[in-house]
Amino acid sequence: MDVREYMNEHRERMLEELLELLRIPSVSADAAFSDDTFRCAEVVADHLRKAGADNVEVVATKGYPVVFGEKQVDPSKPTVLVYGHYDVQPADPIELWDSPAFEPVIKSTELHPEGAIFARGACDDKGQMFMHVKAFEAMVATGQVPCNIKFMIEGEEEVGSVHLEDFLRAHKDRLAADVVLVSDTGIIANDVPSITTGLRGLSYVEVEVTGPNRDLHSGLYGGAAPNPINILCEMIASLKDEHQQIVVEGFYDDVEELSETERAAMAEAPFSEEAYKKSIDISAVEGERGYSAPERMSIRPTLDVNGIWGGYQGEGAKTVIASKAYAKISMRLVPHQDPDDITAKFEAHFNRIAPESVSLKVTAMHGGQPAVTPTDSPAYQAASAAMALTYGKVPVPVRSGGSIPIVASFEQILGLKTVLMGFGLDSDAIHSPNEHYGLFNYFKGIETIPHFHAEFAQRHG
Ligand code: BES
Ligand code: MN
Ligand code: MN
């Protein structure tokens, strides 16, 4: 029996098991879900064991554990380390979901006429991670494991993988491999396969502006007392110039400029600005002068306010000058920019522009290095060949705007390159209400992954 026949025979169960996994609210950001998150690791470990992995272990860290498992078939064959995450983003705002986030349902959509699974984590990353477990099960069951395979499934990706570098350092030998394979990114469309060749880095800060020592009557004090909310808004507005370039001093110093040839190659990837605008209901795109929308979303750094609050937000009007104002700001980084350096530059700049009337606190939240992956490697070629086999089209290389901070650490700590062979769509609403993952995508992934292993085993010198 081949892997595809096995998959067709076990299709219903492979779906049911994913739905069961999606019922576990493994929200790493919220301590209220701590028991569920630990339980989720055990469930993933059980699946790996049942699928035929050896030495399966739920390895404790200072945070949520990492699930490890492996299958050694032949020491002369190469080893693929599969990485994924079992933690998910919070479901908030829950009132915007059409069905409960942790009660998966299948519905068809315009882009998923054959049905999509609606649940938090359906695409990011339980659905995609679980494709690897099911593909592995099929390979073991049909006696077709073409190389050595290791699994490393973590539970803190959505909170910045803070303990994972320690894990890599502590388990270097156990994790020894030839390449890392990750499905935690997307493709352009179900009929336009693509492989992600780059991820942006991240510097994420929270700022707190303090004016008067208490909330004040806005009539009695307004006009002379500094208003931290007004001031924070002015400070934030001043961070970009009229061409939407970020003015934080030194921000672009290390930015890698792409050659015209590279930019021309990027422009080959299909992108419709009209469809993009329509998909998120906007009438115009925004962004840095001189760059196309796909470039602004991948090879250029950004600065975005992710949240801003302070003062009175209840019903009706309350006349008040708040004592404090806050914002959370993310900066997506491109190759050669360093998150710590950018955070320091942001803090220095923000302090410089703060008026004397307020005091300022800048707190660094999580960060991550950008990463680019080669396209001339046997591993990339294996992924390309695998997708070409199952999609009938050679996948297009694309740089993504998202971040998976551990990818840079795989290279720095383990000396391993990563292949980002993801299967989600941008419209799958990851991190948003009504996240979903196409049944087509789930099963296409399960079908493609064994081809990757076979192609890699064949190519690896
Ligand atoms: N899987 C995503 C990243 C992603 C999605 C990359 C689609 C490319 C295409 C990942 O789980 C994620 O959400 N990462 C965070 C980073 C983080 C430090 C919380 C992000 O990009 O915001
Ligand atoms: Mn993810
Ligand atoms: Mn995510």
Side-chain angles (χ1 to χ4, degrees):
M1 195 193 294
D2 73 10
V3 165
R4 196 175 165 162
E5 279 162 4
Y6 181 90
M7 186 180 89
N8 287 336
E9 210 160 281
H10 297 269
R11 205 181 150 91
E12 282 311 308
R13 180 179 50 79
M14 287 184 172
L15 178 56
E16 275 312 315
E17 287 173 352
L18 172 58
L19 300 186
E20 201 54 50
L21 193 65
L22 291 169
R23 290 190 183 102
I24 307 172
S26 50
V27 180
S28 51
D30 186 345
F33 296 99
S34 160
D35 288 353
D36 295 298
T37 309
F38 279 106
R39 181 162 59 91
C40 193
E42 298 294 339
V43 170
V44 170
D46 284 341
H47 278 296
L48 275 176
R49 266 182 218 110
K50 269 189 248 153
D54 301 317
N55 306 319
V56 174
E57 193 183 328
V58 176
V59 186
T61 69
K62 285 191 183 131
Y64 291 118
V66 178
V67 183
F68 178 85
E70 65 185 336
K71 185 103 200 151
Q72 299 284 350
V73 289
D74 180 348
S76 72
K77 294 270 167 66
T79 302
V80 176
L81 175 62
V82 175
Y83 162 84
H85 61 96
Y86 64 81
D87 66 318
V88 301
Q89 284 277 320
D92 306 71
I94 53 168
E95 66 279 10
L96 296 182
W97 284 75
D98 295 331
S99 56
F102 298 105
E103 294 171 27
V105 292
I106 295 168
K107 286 186 291 189
S108 55
T109 70
E110 204 181 311
L111 292 175
H112 296 294
E114 65 302 295
I117 308 159
F118 282 76
R120 171 59 81 231
C123 175
D124 183 12
D125 180 42
K126 282 177 178 166
Q128 296 212 64
M129 170 273 284
F130 204 59
M131 299 179 317
H132 286 271
V133 181
K134 294 296 99 179
F136 175 73
E137 174 197 317
M139 289 187 281
V140 174
T142 58
Q144 298 168 62
V145 187
C147 58
N148 305 307
I149 302 179
K150 295 181 178 178
F151 287 90
M152 176 191 149
I153 314 295
E154 71 148 318
E156 298 187 307
E157 198 279 339
E158 298 294 7
V159 287
S161 303
V162 273
H163 302 102
L164 205 58
E165 288 203 337
D166 282 347
F167 179 87
L168 296 187
R169 279 186 210 101
H171 299 276
K172 263 186 170 171
D173 292 341
R174 236 210 283 199
L175 300 171
D178 295 286
V179 74
V180 183
L181 176 63
V182 181
S183 297
D184 193 21
T185 54
I187 50 175
I188 295 176
N190 279 355
D191 57 356
V192 189
S194 58
I195 296 177
T196 302
T197 55
L199 294 162
R200 286 195 283 196
L202 183 64
S203 157
Y204 197 114
V205 296
E206 182 173 317
V207 298
E208 180 192 285
V209 178
T210 306
N213 61 1
R214 59 183 167 89
D215 289 7
L216 303 172
H217 188 290
S218 65
L220 293 180
Y221 287 89
N227 182 326
I229 301 176
N230 288 15
I231 290 168
L232 176 59
C233 290
E234 284 162 24
M235 289 170 74
I236 288 171
S238 78
L239 294 175
K240 287 187 193 176
D241 68 15
E242 71 272 33
H243 307 307
Q244 301 220 37
Q245 281 240 326
I246 296 152
V247 302
V248 171
E249 217 174 295
F251 188 84
Y252 292 97
D253 283 358
D254 301 316
V255 166
E256 176 194 66
E257 298 290 342
L258 263 62
S259 68
E260 284 310 316
T261 328
E262 286 171 302
R263 291 180 68 185
M266 265 194 79
E268 295 287 305
F271 176 79
S272 154
E273 196 163 298
E274 280 316 306
Y276 174 80
K277 289 193 290 190
K278 196 163 162 262
S279 73
I280 54 173
D281 278 327
I282 54 166
S283 353
V285 297
E286 282 278 323
E288 192 184 354
R289 186 170 71 168
Y291 295 93
S292 68
E295 288 175 332
R296 291 169 183 164
M297 288 187 279
S298 63
I299 59 161
R300 298 301 296 167
T302 62
L303 185 153
D304 278 295
V305 178
N306 291 234
I308 184 162
W309 71 101
Y312 183 64
Q313 288 160 68
E315 210 181 298
K318 180 186 181 200
T319 49
V320 65
I321 292 173
S323 164
K324 286 176 187 290
Y326 304 83
K328 291 185 192 277
I329 297 173
S330 70
M331 290 163 277
R332 295 281 170 172
L333 312 179
V334 298
H336 309 321
Q337 283 183 299
D338 176 75
D340 293 336
D341 175 60
I342 291 294
T343 302
K345 283 173 173 160
F346 175 90
E347 185 170 1
H349 180 90
F350 224 55
N351 274 302
R352 215 175 296 126
I353 63 173
E356 218 181 295
S357 55
V358 295
S359 63
L360 194 64
K361 199 167 100 190
V362 177
T363 311
M365 318 287 276
H366 46 228
Q369 301 278 350
V372 278
T373 65
T375 53
D376 56 358
S377 64
Y380 181 90
Q381 296 302 329
S384 181
M387 288 183 106
L389 274 171
T390 55
Y391 284 85
K393 276 184 197 172
V394 176
V396 191
V398 282
R399 287 203 15 197
S400 171
S403 310
I404 308 176
I406 202 63
V407 170
S409 317
F410 284 137
E411 174 136 28
Q412 276 152 24
I413 299 171
L414 302 179
L416 294 179
K417 300 277 189 209
T418 297
V419 174
L420 299 160
M421 189 173 72
F423 295 88
L425 301 183
D426 283 354
S427 53
D428 286 347
I430 64 171
H431 294 208
S432 304
N434 302 315
E435 174 178 355
H436 54 279
Y437 191 42
L439 295 178
F440 170 89
N441 304 68
Y442 179 56
F443 289 109
K444 193 60 103 181
I446 299 175
E447 189 190 333
T448 306
I449 289 162
H451 287 298
F452 171 85
H453 292 290
E455 295 286 336
F456 183 64
Q458 211 176 66
R459 271 158 231 263
H460 188 79

